[in-house]
Amino acid sequence: MNGMDGYAPGETVDVNAVAVVCRRGWNAVEPRVRTEMKSPAQTVIVHHTALRYCAHPRDSASQLAHIQHMHMQERGFDDIGYNFLISGDGMVYEGRGWGVVGAHAKEHNFNSVGVAFMGNFSDELPSSASLSALLRLLHIGVLHGHVRPSFVLVGHRDVAKTECPGEHLYTLLPKLRDQLQNH
């Protein structure tokens, strides 16, 4: 599933009921370096961007470009840090994608997938569309061998000293874990 490029800008790729907007669809710049993961991810780390809530593709595309620029120019990352980002309307955007080492949680990047919800969930509640998009994305990740079936779902604050992914999103993680186990 890596390299979903080859699709028209803005085109979505239906990956078993998860529409993922490929990098070209949001005009991502090329990464400086891409490091492939050596094995399927054993941890999924949930983040929030702590920026403006996005629920419209036009807002999401400009926000993604902003995040990528910030990560590459200000933080010196090789690309946008997250593997995937999810907007309030439930759209999933390819960041680094499956099987690529991210830059989202120091000391945990080589064995995890980082998924960021677009917004600040210290202040607002994540939408049900975004939560179900995460569940579908992770189901597909397991199905295609990118994520171990026995993966652990954690918030960024579980592995680093941070408030991320915001209190309102973090308190929903136990419920999401239950839903994942019952699928």
Side-chain angles (χ1 to χ4, degrees), residues 8-80:
E11 185 177 349
T12 58
V13 184
D14 185 7
V15 191
N16 295 6
V18 179
V20 177
V21 177
C22 64
R23 293 173 59 88
R24 191 174 294 161
W26 60 268
N27 294 319
V29 300
E30 285 301 306
R32 290 187 193 109
V33 177
R34 252 177 82 107
T35 305
E36 300 289 323
M37 292 179 73
K38 294 185 178 4
S39 58
Q42 54 196 23
T43 308
V44 174
I45 302 175
V46 175
H47 301 265
H48 70 160
T49 59
L51 299 168
R52 196 178 74 244
Y53 181 79
C54 290
H56 188 280
R58 187 177 50 241
D59 298 335
S60 298
S62 63
Q63 187 77 268
L64 288 158
H66 169 71
I67 294 167
Q68 186 182 36
H69 177 83
M70 187 175 64
H71 284 183
M72 292 178 80
Q73 303 310 318
E74 295 169 26
R75 297 189 185 167
F77 296 173
D78 292 326
D79 194 357
I80 194 166

Side-chain angles (χ1 to χ4, degrees), residues 1-7 13 15 20-23 84 94 97-98:
M1 199 146 70
N2 278 339
M4 287 196 274
D5 289 336
Y7 294 91
V13 184
V15 191
V20 177
V21 177
C22 64
R23 293 173 59 88
F84 294 95
E94 181 185 28
W98 295 119

Side-chain angles (χ1 to χ4, degrees), residues 1 15-16 18 20 40-41 44 84 97-99 113 115 133-151 180:
M1 199 146 70
V15 191
N16 295 6
V18 179
V20 177
V44 174
F84 294 95
W98 295 119
V113 170
V115 181
L134 174 68
L135 295 174
R136 290 192 314 272
L137 177 69
L138 298 181
H139 177 72
I140 297 308
V142 170
L143 210 61
H144 290 277
H146 300 294
V147 180
R148 292 184 183 171
S150 59
F151 75 89
L180 286 163

Side-chain angles (χ1 to χ4, degrees), residues 102-114:
H104 55 87
K106 266 190 185 131
E107 297 171 26
H108 297 275
N109 293 316
F110 284 89
N111 63 1
S112 69
V113 170

